[in-house]
Amino acid sequence: QVQLVESGGGLVQAGGSLRLSCAASGRTFSNYYMGWFRQAPGKERDFVAAITAGGGGTYLADAVKGRFTISRDNAKNTVYLQMNSLTPEDTAVYYCATGTGLYVSSRNYDYWGQGTQVTVSS
């Protein structure tokens, strides 16, 4: 029903910035809450940020609050994650996903993208 494709990942030095994009297909994108998650090797997939269907409300994990910003442009079927002041602890594969609320658990999200690698060097 919906396909998600992340982009914008890459290699960046500590203190730098990256902007991730999640492009969605389908005609129902504006009905979904959206979330960003990340997974480092050998670790669980952790919540990063979520945004309401209309974009008027957001929720961020404490680890990224003040550094990351989630936003969306429903006219472009795209969700963004602006990442500033990056540290090696942010190194992970970043995924976007569809949901029905500002949930923290990945089990509450239905459709997932393939992920994009973010590597922060020291």
Side-chain angles (χ1 to χ4, degrees):
Q1 184 174 334
V2 59
Q3 294 173 301
L4 306 173
V5 180
E6 301 95 337
S7 62
L11 176 64
V12 64
Q13 292 185 338
S17 298
L18 284 174
R19 186 179 183 86
L20 305 184
S21 298
C22 174
S25 66
R27 295 172 289 180
T28 59
F29 175 75
S30 61
N31 293 331
Y32 293 112
Y33 286 59
M34 296 293 297
W36 283 98
F37 292 77
R38 65 186 183 184
Q39 187 168 27
K43 296 187 176 181
E44 299 292 319
R45 187 168 297 186
D46 290 331
F47 172 80
V48 176
I51 189 167
T52 59
T58 64
Y59 183 73
L60 276 69
D62 288 343
V64 305
K65 195 173 300 181
R67 299 188 298 122
F68 291 12
T69 303
I70 185 172
S71 62
R72 69 191 295 164
D73 186 342
N74 286 347
K76 297 181 178 179
N77 276 20
T78 303
V79 176
Y80 305 97
L81 185 68
Q82 178 66 47
M83 306 185 296
N84 300 324
S85 301
L86 287 163
T87 76
E89 302 296 323
D90 298 313
T91 295
V93 177
Y94 283 71
Y95 301 88
C96 65
T98 66
T100 58
L102 298 177
Y103 300 116
V104 172
S105 173
S106 62
R107 292 175 174 82
N108 292 310
Y109 293 79
D110 301 309
Y111 296 95
W112 293 80
Q114 292 289 97
T116 185
Q117 176 71 232
V118 172
T119 303
V120 184
S121 63
S122 60

